[in-house]
Structures are given as structure tokens and as C-alpha cells.
Amino acid sequence: MGELGGARMSVKVELHPRQAEAFSSPATELLYGGAAGGGKSFLLRVSALRWCLSVPGLQAYLFRRTFPDLRANHLKGPGSLPDLLAPLLAKGKARWSEQRGEFRFAGGSTLKLAHLQHESDLIKYQGAEIHVLLIDELTHFSESQYRFLRSRVRLGGLKPPGPLADRLPRIECATNPGSVGHAWVKRAWVSPKRPQEVWRAPAGEGGMRRQYLPARVADNPTLLAHDPDYLDRLEGLGSPALVRALKNGDWDIAAGQALETFDRERHVIEPFAIPDHWTRFRALDWGSTRPFSVGWWAVSDGDDPRLPPGAIVRYREWYGWTGRPDTGLRLTSAEVADGIREREGGERIAFSVADPAAFGRSDGPSVAERMAARGAIFRRAANDRKAGYQEVRARLRGEGDNGPPMLFVFSTCTDGFLRTVPELVLDPHDPEDVATRQEDHVYDEVRYACMSRPFRRTAGPPATPQRDRWGRAFDFTQPHGWRVA
Ligand SMILES: Nc1ncnc2c1ncn2[C@@H]1O[C@H](COP(=O)(O)OP(=O)(O)O)[C@@H](O)[C@H]1O
Ligand SMILES: [Mg+2]
């Protein structure tokens, strides 16, 4: 390797062979992934500079999930952007604007350093025209965040010089396995084809030329020369799965996946008409600026051979989001109550549970009280997080090792359940609980639903849930759907 850019403006770098392969990849949706220390972030920086220095007017965006990571990883120390660009910065051929968070080059191209620290940051990129999208630590992003960013990738008015034309616009990502996005990244790049193969992604997924190039620690001689103990330190991480993931770039682990036993093949079923005599109930996790999740559940009587007696089926969902991850519809409790009743069309709901926060009062009636006034009556759900996690897991696992599961989801639950639940990760500080700072509203609702019908304790007749005061108030006086079982 040698110089990036042309005669007027260039920077010298040396790439290791694996990095060089990624650098010259013909793919337009590249994942350079695998082991920690494999030189991935460095490669992204070098690639960003190549595009900015060789195509005047080009707009490149380098993303990390959070702002502090962005700084620490790309703006500090040897091999960072300021370090690589030092000669150009000194000559004024590249400038850093702290305010705009971007490098601007003499040819009019820009490299913007971007992050999605807060969900609301996504909106900043709504109108962006991204010619080269670089994402570091892709598994820290959710699939919908990625899809959104990818939808901003277009050529617009840019006219790249001949030899580069068919490589733009493009996406280059780098990542370790693990973290929130492990499952979807693996599904999109790693599982479908052999490493290094370049293939056309399905039209519904952008239709770009996709490629997965594995990177191992051994592929980065710089690191091992400067820090020979690095591998030993990785070994010291503890969890063997995490060590394998970070050291070898092994994707065949459920690194931190909270519900790794969830399996579309086993748990997702095509919709069918729920028999009238099945018990139906609903669960709610309230939210306004963040999404709410309403799940409608039915309890199998065992007549359908696929669904053991007592198995619960999530047959409908209403996920209160705008279509942007973790962003709520900001509906009032009355509007949600009306929406719930409307979707039910008069079906008989035996009981309903809602998160304790819905019962909180700051000024005036609680959310639950307001909803009750419109005919959607909820009682307080059991909210022991760890017990709930165990219940959800027990239901997903089902009876014995190979028996059918005790929890099913209709394939129509795509907005909430199927998008968010499989991606949830464990709390890194507490392997017995799901981490809280993620899009976990459906999971919480599922947890309340499971806690309302404990699977482990159904040997006898199911325990009758405690009537709450709304039950006492309405039980015998109101039409169906109002009772509390
Ligand atoms: N080709 C290279 N030349 C010089 N230093 C490199 C090169 N590739 C990687 N490095 C350095 O090796 C270290 C680890 O690389 P990095 O890209 O951060 O790894 P990763 O992102 O895969 O964990 C960093 O200090 C980086 O600057
Ligand atoms: Mg890195």
C-alpha cells in the first residue's frame, strides 16, 4: 500500500494484507468483522480518507453508536484520523471543524463523524445524502437503525471518476460479534454465504453487493508487536463464549443474547382463528414518548397438536411506535384505551395486566385509571424482573428438552415482538437479567403476560389472580371484556 489520494493531496499508510483485501473489495455493502484488535477501525479510517481524497465533493459518514466511543476510537492517539491526516492538516488541505464534527478537504469532500447516542439523533440524518457510509462496531446498532442509515445512501448529484464509479455509493462496516446487533448482523452477512464471497443482497434489503471478510487478531501484526500481552488479556475476560467471540471472531455464539432459545422455527406460527372458548388476556407496557406495547394472548386448550394445553399464544400486538426505533406515538391513555377496545371488536378478555408505572400517580388519575374509565381495565402486573426473566425462558424452552415450547407468537407480530425481542441482550453486570437500556417494551409486556400465568406452577388448576379494586368495581356490572379473572 502506499499513498491515498492524488498528487495534490495524499497521505501515506501501510495496510496489513487482510485490511488491503477489505480496502480493495468490489463489494458495496461490506462487513469487515471478527476478532477484537483485527485492525477494523483503522481500516475504516483509511478507507474513509481514500474516498474523500480521491472523489471531490464526496460526503462520507463515519458512525459509532455513541459519542464518547467515536472520540476515543477515531480522534485520539496513533493511527487516529488527526494522526493520519497530520500532514494535510498542517498544510491546510484538510480542516477539522469541532462544531460540525467533520473534516473538510480541499477538494470539497467531507468526512462527518456521527453517532446515534440518543434515538432522536437519527432524525438528524433524515435528509442526508451519504455517498460512503462507514459504521464501526455495527453490532452496537439495531437492524432498524442500520436500515434507516442505509436508506440515506445514494449518489445524488455526485459524479465519481470512471474507475470508482461502480463502487459508489457504498457501505463499509466493521464489528466484533456480540452485543445487541449480533443476531441480525450474523443473519445479514455471516450466515448466508461463505466468507469473502460477494453476493447480491435481496431487493428488500437494498440489493447491494454484500461481502463478509473475517478479521482475526493475527491479521494485525501492529497490535501484537506493540502489545504482545493483548491475547492474554482477552483470555482474562472470563466468559469462554465472549473470549471465543472476541479472539477468533466466532459468530456461532449467543454472545449476551438474553433469549437465545427463541427460535423462529419453533416459536412463530401462522395466524389462525382463536377458538372462542380459549381464555384470552392482554398485557400492557405503557409508554408515550417511548413506545407502548399491548399484547393479546390466548391460552391453548391442547386440541391443536402443535400447542400443548396451557401454552400461551400472542395472537395480536399493538406496538405504539412511529416506525423509528424506540420512538413512541405520544398517544394519551384515553387514546390507547380506545385503540385497544377497537382492536378487540368486543372479544371477551378474561383479565389484563399492566406495568406498575401505569399505576403511578403524579398529578391526577393514573394511566390505568384513565384507561379503566374508557373500559380498558388493567391490574398491576408482577414486576420481579428476575422471576419474570425465568418465566419467559421457561415458557420458551417448554416441557423437557425436546418438547414443544409453551409460548408462541403469531407471525404478524413484526413491529414489536419479532423485531425487538430476539435482539435483546443480557445486562453485562447481571447475567440473570435483561439489560434495561434497549428497546425492551415488548419484552416487558411479555414478561408481565408470563408472570400472570406462571408456567412452573400450573400443575394444579391455574391460580386465580387477585382481584384488584377495578375488578371489584366492575366485575359483575359491566359487559364482557371488563372482568378481571
Ligand atoms: N495497518 C496498520 N498500520 C498501523 N497501525 C495499525 C494498522 N492496523 C491497525 N493498527 C493499529 O492497531 C491497533 C488496533 O487496531 P484497530 O483498528 O483499533 O482494531 P479493531 O478495531 O479491529 O479492534 C490500533 O492502535 C491501530 O491504530
Ligand atoms: Mg475497533
Side-chain angles (χ1 to χ4, degrees), residues 398-440:
E399 212 82 71
D401 279 342
N402 300 310
M406 293 298 282
L407 185 158
F408 295 86
V409 188
F410 271 14
S411 61
T412 42
C413 296
T414 48
D415 277 358
F417 193 109
L418 295 173
R419 188 176 59 83
T420 62
V421 171
E423 295 191 357
L424 295 171
V425 291
L426 286 173
D427 184 339
H429 307 294
D430 184 354
E432 285 165 45
D433 197 7
V434 174
T436 50
R437 296 194 58 190
Q438 47 187 337
E439 195 170 352
D440 56 2

mmCIF file of all heavy atoms in Angstrom, residues 398-440:
data_model
loop_
_atom_site.group_PDB
_atom_site.id
_atom_site.type_symbol
_atom_site.label_atom_id
_atom_site.label_comp_id
_atom_site.label_asym_id
_atom_site.label_seq_id
_atom_site.Cartn_x
_atom_site.Cartn_y
_atom_site.Cartn_z
ATOM 1 N N GLY A 398 -40.104 -24.671 27.161
ATOM 2 C CA GLY A 398 -41.184 -25.654 27.132
ATOM 3 C C GLY A 398 -40.896 -26.831 28.025
ATOM 4 O O GLY A 398 -39.987 -26.797 28.852
ATOM 5 N N GLU A 399 -41.670 -27.877 27.809
ATOM 6 C CA GLU A 399 -41.569 -29.049 28.679
ATOM 7 C C GLU A 399 -40.403 -29.919 28.232
ATOM 8 O O GLU A 399 -40.281 -30.232 27.050
ATOM 9 C CB GLU A 399 -42.876 -29.837 28.575
ATOM 10 C CG GLU A 399 -43.283 -30.559 29.822
ATOM 11 C CD GLU A 399 -43.987 -29.632 30.817
ATOM 12 O OE1 GLU A 399 -45.132 -29.233 30.556
ATOM 13 O OE2 GLU A 399 -43.374 -29.336 31.849
ATOM 14 N N GLY A 400 -39.525 -30.281 29.153
ATOM 15 C CA GLY A 400 -38.417 -31.174 28.827
ATOM 16 C C GLY A 400 -37.450 -30.511 27.854
ATOM 17 O O GLY A 400 -37.495 -29.312 27.627
ATOM 18 N N ASP A 401 -36.552 -31.331 27.288
ATOM 19 C CA ASP A 401 -35.550 -30.760 26.417
ATOM 20 C C ASP A 401 -36.016 -30.628 24.977
ATOM 21 O O ASP A 401 -35.639 -29.699 24.274
ATOM 22 C CB ASP A 401 -34.269 -31.606 26.457
ATOM 23 C CG ASP A 401 -33.448 -31.253 27.686
ATOM 24 O OD1 ASP A 401 -33.712 -30.169 28.253
ATOM 25 O OD2 ASP A 401 -32.606 -32.062 28.074
ATOM 26 N N ASN A 402 -36.832 -31.585 24.549
ATOM 27 C CA ASN A 402 -37.231 -31.554 23.141
ATOM 28 C C ASN A 402 -38.721 -31.329 22.939
ATOM 29 O O ASN A 402 -39.217 -31.417 21.829
ATOM 30 C CB ASN A 402 -36.816 -32.859 22.450
ATOM 31 C CG ASN A 402 -35.313 -33.053 22.519
ATOM 32 O OD1 ASN A 402 -34.561 -32.137 22.177
ATOM 33 N ND2 ASN A 402 -34.886 -34.201 23.007
ATOM 34 N N GLY A 403 -39.407 -31.085 24.030
ATOM 35 C CA GLY A 403 -40.853 -30.889 23.927
ATOM 36 C C GLY A 403 -41.186 -29.585 23.230
ATOM 37 O O GLY A 403 -40.299 -28.773 22.966
ATOM 38 N N PRO A 404 -42.459 -29.398 22.915
ATOM 39 C CA PRO A 404 -42.857 -28.139 22.301
ATOM 40 C C PRO A 404 -42.752 -26.996 23.305
ATOM 41 O O PRO A 404 -42.843 -27.223 24.505
ATOM 42 C CB PRO A 404 -44.323 -28.383 21.914
ATOM 43 C CG PRO A 404 -44.778 -29.486 22.788
ATOM 44 C CD PRO A 404 -43.576 -30.301 23.154
ATOM 45 N N PRO A 405 -42.542 -25.781 22.802
ATOM 46 C CA PRO A 405 -42.491 -24.640 23.710
ATOM 47 C C PRO A 405 -43.869 -24.353 24.293
ATOM 48 O O PRO A 405 -44.869 -24.920 23.849
ATOM 49 C CB PRO A 405 -42.038 -23.489 22.822
ATOM 50 C CG PRO A 405 -42.159 -23.937 21.426
ATOM 51 C CD PRO A 405 -42.323 -25.419 21.405
ATOM 52 N N MET A 406 -43.918 -23.488 25.283
ATOM 53 C CA MET A 406 -45.184 -23.117 25.919
ATOM 54 C C MET A 406 -45.533 -21.659 25.615
ATOM 55 O O MET A 406 -46.395 -21.072 26.258
ATOM 56 C CB MET A 406 -45.096 -23.337 27.434
ATOM 57 C CG MET A 406 -44.987 -24.797 27.835
ATOM 58 S SD MET A 406 -46.437 -25.769 27.334
ATOM 59 C CE MET A 406 -47.614 -25.273 28.608
ATOM 60 N N LEU A 407 -44.820 -21.081 24.654
ATOM 61 C CA LEU A 407 -45.109 -19.711 24.256
ATOM 62 C C LEU A 407 -44.959 -19.628 22.742
ATOM 63 O O LEU A 407 -43.962 -20.095 22.183
ATOM 64 C CB LEU A 407 -44.135 -18.751 24.944
ATOM 65 C CG LEU A 407 -44.342 -17.240 24.758
ATOM 66 C CD1 LEU A 407 -43.678 -16.483 25.903
ATOM 67 C CD2 LEU A 407 -43.828 -16.712 23.439
ATOM 68 N N PHE A 408 -45.997 -19.058 22.105
ATOM 69 C CA PHE A 408 -45.972 -18.915 20.652
ATOM 70 C C PHE A 408 -46.327 -17.485 20.276
ATOM 71 O O PHE A 408 -46.984 -16.772 21.039
ATOM 72 C CB PHE A 408 -46.972 -19.873 20.004
ATOM 73 C CG PHE A 408 -46.625 -21.325 20.215
ATOM 74 C CD1 PHE A 408 -47.048 -21.989 21.365
ATOM 75 C CD2 PHE A 408 -45.865 -22.020 19.290
ATOM 76 C CE1 PHE A 408 -46.719 -23.313 21.586
ATOM 77 C CE2 PHE A 408 -45.529 -23.355 19.496
ATOM 78 C CZ PHE A 408 -45.964 -23.999 20.647
ATOM 79 N N VAL A 409 -45.897 -17.104 19.087
ATOM 80 C CA VAL A 409 -46.161 -15.755 18.606
ATOM 81 C C VAL A 409 -46.673 -15.842 17.177
ATOM 82 O O VAL A 409 -46.099 -16.579 16.363
ATOM 83 C CB VAL A 409 -44.853 -14.920 18.587
ATOM 84 C CG1 VAL A 409 -45.159 -13.475 18.269
ATOM 85 C CG2 VAL A 409 -44.122 -15.026 19.901
ATOM 86 N N PHE A 410 -47.725 -15.114 16.895
ATOM 87 C CA PHE A 410 -48.199 -15.062 15.507
ATOM 88 C C PHE A 410 -47.157 -14.356 14.643
ATOM 89 O O PHE A 410 -46.521 -13.386 15.078
ATOM 90 C CB PHE A 410 -49.527 -14.296 15.420
ATOM 91 C CG PHE A 410 -50.746 -15.176 15.604
ATOM 92 C CD1 PHE A 410 -50.639 -16.459 16.106
ATOM 93 C CD2 PHE A 410 -52.009 -14.685 15.261
ATOM 94 C CE1 PHE A 410 -51.773 -17.257 16.279
ATOM 95 C CE2 PHE A 410 -53.142 -15.469 15.422
ATOM 96 C CZ PHE A 410 -53.030 -16.762 15.934
ATOM 97 N N SER A 411 -47.038 -14.839 13.431
ATOM 98 C CA SER A 411 -46.026 -14.265 12.527
ATOM 99 C C SER A 411 -46.343 -12.822 12.154
ATOM 100 O O SER A 411 -45.524 -12.146 11.539
ATOM 101 C CB SER A 411 -45.915 -15.114 11.260
ATOM 102 O OG SER A 411 -47.165 -15.118 10.592
ATOM 103 N N THR A 412 -47.538 -12.374 12.528
ATOM 104 C CA THR A 412 -47.919 -10.998 12.214
ATOM 105 C C THR A 412 -47.352 -9.979 13.211
ATOM 106 O O THR A 412 -47.470 -8.777 12.989
ATOM 107 C CB THR A 412 -49.460 -10.883 12.228
ATOM 108 O OG1 THR A 412 -49.933 -11.623 13.352
ATOM 109 C CG2 THR A 412 -50.070 -11.445 10.967
ATOM 110 N N CYS A 413 -46.740 -10.462 14.289
ATOM 111 C CA CYS A 413 -46.233 -9.540 15.322
ATOM 112 C C CYS A 413 -44.859 -8.987 14.932
ATOM 113 O O CYS A 413 -43.878 -9.131 15.669
ATOM 114 C CB CYS A 413 -46.156 -10.251 16.671
ATOM 115 S SG CYS A 413 -47.757 -10.757 17.312
ATOM 116 N N THR A 414 -44.789 -8.364 13.791
ATOM 117 C CA THR A 414 -43.486 -7.963 13.257
ATOM 118 C C THR A 414 -42.986 -6.611 13.774
ATOM 119 O O THR A 414 -41.791 -6.396 13.879
ATOM 120 C CB THR A 414 -43.536 -7.885 11.717
ATOM 121 O OG1 THR A 414 -44.702 -7.139 11.368
ATOM 122 C CG2 THR A 414 -43.617 -9.253 11.093
ATOM 123 N N ASP A 415 -43.922 -5.697 14.067
ATOM 124 C CA ASP A 415 -43.481 -4.359 14.504
ATOM 125 C C ASP A 415 -42.736 -4.421 15.825
ATOM 126 O O ASP A 415 -41.730 -3.750 16.027
ATOM 127 C CB ASP A 415 -44.698 -3.446 14.760
ATOM 128 C CG ASP A 415 -45.196 -2.825 13.482
ATOM 129 O OD1 ASP A 415 -44.581 -3.079 12.432
ATOM 130 O OD2 ASP A 415 -46.200 -2.092 13.544
ATOM 131 N N GLY A 416 -43.300 -5.207 16.734
ATOM 132 C CA GLY A 416 -42.766 -5.224 18.084
ATOM 133 C C GLY A 416 -41.981 -6.487 18.359
ATOM 134 O O GLY A 416 -40.746 -6.490 18.329
ATOM 135 N N PHE A 417 -42.683 -7.564 18.602
ATOM 136 C CA PHE A 417 -42.037 -8.789 19.087
ATOM 137 C C PHE A 417 -40.898 -9.254 18.176
ATOM 138 O O PHE A 417 -39.752 -9.379 18.607
ATOM 139 C CB PHE A 417 -43.071 -9.912 19.245
ATOM 140 C CG PHE A 417 -42.540 -11.086 20.033
ATOM 141 C CD1 PHE A 417 -43.002 -11.354 21.320
ATOM 142 C CD2 PHE A 417 -41.571 -11.926 19.515
ATOM 143 C CE1 PHE A 417 -42.510 -12.424 22.064
ATOM 144 C CE2 PHE A 417 -41.060 -12.994 20.233
ATOM 145 C CZ PHE A 417 -41.540 -13.238 21.510
ATOM 146 N N LEU A 418 -41.216 -9.520 16.932
ATOM 147 C CA LEU A 418 -40.219 -10.179 16.090
ATOM 148 C C LEU A 418 -39.055 -9.253 15.738
ATOM 149 O O LEU A 418 -37.972 -9.706 15.392
ATOM 150 C CB LEU A 418 -40.876 -10.735 14.828
ATOM 151 C CG LEU A 418 -41.866 -11.853 15.148
ATOM 152 C CD1 LEU A 418 -42.637 -12.293 13.910
ATOM 153 C CD2 LEU A 418 -41.122 -13.056 15.757
ATOM 154 N N ARG A 419 -39.270 -7.969 15.874
ATOM 155 C CA ARG A 419 -38.189 -7.025 15.598
ATOM 156 C C ARG A 419 -37.301 -6.833 16.830
ATOM 157 O O ARG A 419 -36.082 -6.755 16.712
ATOM 158 C CB ARG A 419 -38.783 -5.674 15.168
ATOM 159 C CG ARG A 419 -37.763 -4.659 14.670
ATOM 160 C CD ARG A 419 -38.473 -3.394 14.189
ATOM 161 N NE ARG A 419 -39.254 -2.785 15.254
ATOM 162 C CZ ARG A 419 -38.741 -1.975 16.173
ATOM 163 N NH1 ARG A 419 -37.468 -1.663 16.142
ATOM 164 N NH2 ARG A 419 -39.502 -1.477 17.124
ATOM 165 N N THR A 420 -37.920 -6.760 18.007
ATOM 166 C CA THR A 420 -37.118 -6.352 19.172
ATOM 167 C C THR A 420 -36.703 -7.497 20.103
ATOM 168 O O THR A 420 -35.605 -7.474 20.638
ATOM 169 C CB THR A 420 -37.861 -5.293 20.018
ATOM 170 O OG1 THR A 420 -39.074 -5.857 20.530
ATOM 171 C CG2 THR A 420 -38.200 -4.065 19.203
ATOM 172 N N VAL A 421 -37.580 -8.475 20.298
ATOM 173 C CA VAL A 421 -37.289 -9.482 21.328
ATOM 174 C C VAL A 421 -36.057 -10.347 21.010
ATOM 175 O O VAL A 421 -35.220 -10.569 21.883
ATOM 176 C CB VAL A 421 -38.540 -10.329 21.628
ATOM 177 C CG1 VAL A 421 -38.204 -11.511 22.525
ATOM 178 C CG2 VAL A 421 -39.604 -9.453 22.291
ATOM 179 N N PRO A 422 -35.904 -10.818 19.750
ATOM 180 C CA PRO A 422 -34.739 -11.682 19.501
ATOM 181 C C PRO A 422 -33.412 -10.969 19.708
ATOM 182 O O PRO A 422 -32.395 -11.605 19.917
ATOM 183 C CB PRO A 422 -34.896 -12.078 18.022
ATOM 184 C CG PRO A 422 -36.326 -11.816 17.693
ATOM 185 C CD PRO A 422 -36.758 -10.676 18.559
ATOM 186 N N GLU A 423 -33.405 -9.649 19.666
ATOM 187 C CA GLU A 423 -32.134 -8.929 19.744
ATOM 188 C C GLU A 423 -31.731 -8.512 21.152
ATOM 189 O O GLU A 423 -30.661 -7.972 21.357
ATOM 190 C CB GLU A 423 -32.199 -7.684 18.863
ATOM 191 C CG GLU A 423 -32.324 -8.045 17.406
ATOM 192 C CD GLU A 423 -32.118 -6.874 16.471
ATOM 193 O OE1 GLU A 423 -31.930 -5.753 16.973
ATOM 194 O OE2 GLU A 423 -32.152 -7.102 15.267
ATOM 195 N N LEU A 424 -32.601 -8.756 22.109
ATOM 196 C CA LEU A 424 -32.293 -8.265 23.455
ATOM 197 C C LEU A 424 -31.046 -8.919 24.015
ATOM 198 O O LEU A 424 -30.802 -10.098 23.807
ATOM 199 C CB LEU A 424 -33.471 -8.559 24.381
ATOM 200 C CG LEU A 424 -34.751 -7.809 24.031
ATOM 201 C CD1 LEU A 424 -35.898 -8.335 24.865
ATOM 202 C CD2 LEU A 424 -34.572 -6.318 24.219
ATOM 203 N N VAL A 425 -30.280 -8.138 24.727
ATOM 204 C CA VAL A 425 -29.075 -8.694 25.348
ATOM 205 C C VAL A 425 -29.177 -8.662 26.866
ATOM 206 O O VAL A 425 -29.963 -7.913 27.444
ATOM 207 C CB VAL A 425 -27.796 -7.938 24.939
ATOM 208 C CG1 VAL A 425 -27.475 -8.184 23.489
ATOM 209 C CG2 VAL A 425 -27.911 -6.461 25.241
ATOM 210 N N LEU A 426 -28.350 -9.489 27.469
ATOM 211 C CA LEU A 426 -28.314 -9.541 28.923
ATOM 212 C C LEU A 426 -27.643 -8.300 29.481
ATOM 213 O O LEU A 426 -26.836 -7.659 28.813
ATOM 214 C CB LEU A 426 -27.503 -10.764 29.354
ATOM 215 C CG LEU A 426 -28.201 -12.094 29.184
ATOM 216 C CD1 LEU A 426 -27.224 -13.225 29.472
ATOM 217 C CD2 LEU A 426 -29.404 -12.171 30.128
ATOM 218 N N ASP A 427 -27.967 -8.022 30.701
ATOM 219 C CA ASP A 427 -27.280 -6.980 31.436
ATOM 220 C C ASP A 427 -25.832 -7.445 31.648
ATOM 221 O O ASP A 427 -25.611 -8.494 32.254
ATOM 222 C CB ASP A 427 -27.991 -6.817 32.795
ATOM 223 C CG ASP A 427 -27.400 -5.675 33.611
ATOM 224 O OD1 ASP A 427 -26.251 -5.292 33.337
ATOM 225 O OD2 ASP A 427 -28.109 -5.193 34.503
ATOM 226 N N PRO A 428 -24.859 -6.690 31.145
ATOM 227 C CA PRO A 428 -23.474 -7.164 31.275
ATOM 228 C C PRO A 428 -23.044 -7.323 32.739
ATOM 229 O O PRO A 428 -22.141 -8.077 33.054
ATOM 230 C CB PRO A 428 -22.639 -6.089 30.578
ATOM 231 C CG PRO A 428 -23.549 -4.949 30.291
ATOM 232 C CD PRO A 428 -24.975 -5.419 30.433
ATOM 233 N N HIS A 429 -23.729 -6.626 33.644
ATOM 234 C CA HIS A 429 -23.351 -6.725 35.053
ATOM 235 C C HIS A 429 -24.181 -7.744 35.811
ATOM 236 O O HIS A 429 -23.990 -7.941 37.000
ATOM 237 C CB HIS A 429 -23.478 -5.357 35.741
ATOM 238 C CG HIS A 429 -22.725 -4.296 34.996
ATOM 239 N ND1 HIS A 429 -21.362 -4.314 34.897
ATOM 240 C CD2 HIS A 429 -23.150 -3.240 34.272
ATOM 241 C CE1 HIS A 429 -20.969 -3.288 34.158
ATOM 242 N NE2 HIS A 429 -22.031 -2.627 33.759
ATOM 243 N N ASP A 430 -25.171 -8.307 35.140
ATOM 244 C CA ASP A 430 -26.048 -9.231 35.833
ATOM 245 C C ASP A 430 -26.629 -10.243 34.852
ATOM 246 O O ASP A 430 -27.642 -10.004 34.206
ATOM 247 C CB ASP A 430 -27.193 -8.451 36.505
ATOM 248 C CG ASP A 430 -28.081 -9.372 37.314
ATOM 249 O OD1 ASP A 430 -27.874 -10.602 37.265
ATOM 250 O OD2 ASP A 430 -28.984 -8.858 37.994
ATOM 251 N N PRO A 431 -25.962 -11.392 34.739
ATOM 252 C CA PRO A 431 -26.386 -12.369 33.727
ATOM 253 C C PRO A 431 -27.756 -12.973 33.987
ATOM 254 O O PRO A 431 -28.241 -13.763 33.174
ATOM 255 C CB PRO A 431 -25.285 -13.428 33.786
ATOM 256 C CG PRO A 431 -24.598 -13.238 35.078
ATOM 257 C CD PRO A 431 -24.805 -11.817 35.501
ATOM 258 N N GLU A 432 -28.408 -12.600 35.068
ATOM 259 C CA GLU A 432 -29.751 -13.129 35.302
ATOM 260 C C GLU A 432 -30.832 -12.143 34.920
ATOM 261 O O GLU A 432 -32.002 -12.325 35.248
ATOM 262 C CB GLU A 432 -29.914 -13.513 36.777
ATOM 263 C CG GLU A 432 -29.200 -14.794 37.111
ATOM 264 C CD GLU A 432 -29.072 -14.944 38.609
ATOM 265 O OE1 GLU A 432 -30.060 -14.701 39.312
ATOM 266 O OE2 GLU A 432 -27.976 -15.289 39.068
ATOM 267 N N ASP A 433 -30.450 -11.078 34.249
ATOM 268 C CA ASP A 433 -31.482 -10.120 33.851
ATOM 269 C C ASP A 433 -31.163 -9.540 32.475
ATOM 270 O O ASP A 433 -30.018 -9.542 32.029
ATOM 271 C CB ASP A 433 -31.572 -8.992 34.892
ATOM 272 C CG ASP A 433 -32.879 -8.202 34.757
ATOM 273 O OD1 ASP A 433 -33.747 -8.619 33.960
ATOM 274 O OD2 ASP A 433 -33.023 -7.188 35.442
ATOM 275 N N VAL A 434 -32.227 -9.050 31.859
ATOM 276 C CA VAL A 434 -32.105 -8.420 30.553
ATOM 277 C C VAL A 434 -31.672 -6.973 30.785
ATOM 278 O O VAL A 434 -32.155 -6.324 31.712
ATOM 279 C CB VAL A 434 -33.476 -8.494 29.851
ATOM 280 C CG1 VAL A 434 -33.467 -7.737 28.539
ATOM 281 C CG2 VAL A 434 -33.873 -9.949 29.639
ATOM 282 N N ALA A 435 -30.762 -6.490 29.958
ATOM 283 C CA ALA A 435 -30.307 -5.107 30.114
ATOM 284 C C ALA A 435 -31.490 -4.159 29.909
ATOM 285 O O ALA A 435 -32.397 -4.446 29.135
ATOM 286 C CB ALA A 435 -29.206 -4.809 29.106
ATOM 287 N N THR A 436 -31.474 -3.032 30.612
ATOM 288 C CA THR A 436 -32.644 -2.160 30.537
ATOM 289 C C THR A 436 -32.543 -1.089 29.458
ATOM 290 O O THR A 436 -33.536 -0.644 28.950
ATOM 291 C CB THR A 436 -32.914 -1.450 31.883
ATOM 292 O OG1 THR A 436 -31.689 -0.879 32.307
ATOM 293 C CG2 THR A 436 -33.428 -2.418 32.909
ATOM 294 N N ARG A 437 -31.325 -0.687 29.105
ATOM 295 C CA ARG A 437 -31.251 0.428 28.161
ATOM 296 C C ARG A 437 -31.299 -0.040 26.710
ATOM 297 O O ARG A 437 -30.396 0.156 25.929
ATOM 298 C CB ARG A 437 -30.001 1.263 28.432
ATOM 299 C CG ARG A 437 -30.067 1.902 29.800
ATOM 300 C CD ARG A 437 -29.038 2.956 29.943
ATOM 301 N NE ARG A 437 -29.195 3.985 28.926
ATOM 302 C CZ ARG A 437 -28.301 4.928 28.704
ATOM 303 N NH1 ARG A 437 -27.216 4.970 29.388
ATOM 304 N NH2 ARG A 437 -28.507 5.838 27.774
ATOM 305 N N GLN A 438 -32.360 -0.714 26.347
ATOM 306 C CA GLN A 438 -32.561 -1.126 24.975
ATOM 307 C C GLN A 438 -34.059 -1.104 24.697
ATOM 308 O O GLN A 438 -34.834 -0.775 25.582
ATOM 309 C CB GLN A 438 -31.950 -2.505 24.713
ATOM 310 C CG GLN A 438 -32.305 -3.539 25.773
ATOM 311 C CD GLN A 438 -31.542 -4.855 25.596
ATOM 312 O OE1 GLN A 438 -31.085 -5.179 24.517
ATOM 313 N NE2 GLN A 438 -31.444 -5.619 26.654
ATOM 314 N N GLU A 439 -34.460 -1.452 23.477
ATOM 315 C CA GLU A 439 -35.886 -1.357 23.149
ATOM 316 C C GLU A 439 -36.577 -2.595 23.704
ATOM 317 O O GLU A 439 -36.780 -3.584 23.004
ATOM 318 C CB GLU A 439 -36.075 -1.228 21.634
ATOM 319 C CG GLU A 439 -37.457 -0.764 21.253
ATOM 320 C CD GLU A 439 -37.577 -0.409 19.774
ATOM 321 O OE1 GLU A 439 -36.553 -0.379 19.069
ATOM 322 O OE2 GLU A 439 -38.716 -0.162 19.332
ATOM 323 N N ASP A 440 -36.956 -2.501 24.976
ATOM 324 C CA ASP A 440 -37.380 -3.703 25.692
ATOM 325 C C ASP A 440 -38.862 -3.682 26.067
ATOM 326 O O ASP A 440 -39.288 -4.412 26.945
ATOM 327 C CB ASP A 440 -36.531 -3.870 26.958
ATOM 328 C CG ASP A 440 -36.600 -2.637 27.863
ATOM 329 O OD1 ASP A 440 -37.322 -1.689 27.516
ATOM 330 O OD2 ASP A 440 -35.933 -2.637 28.908
#
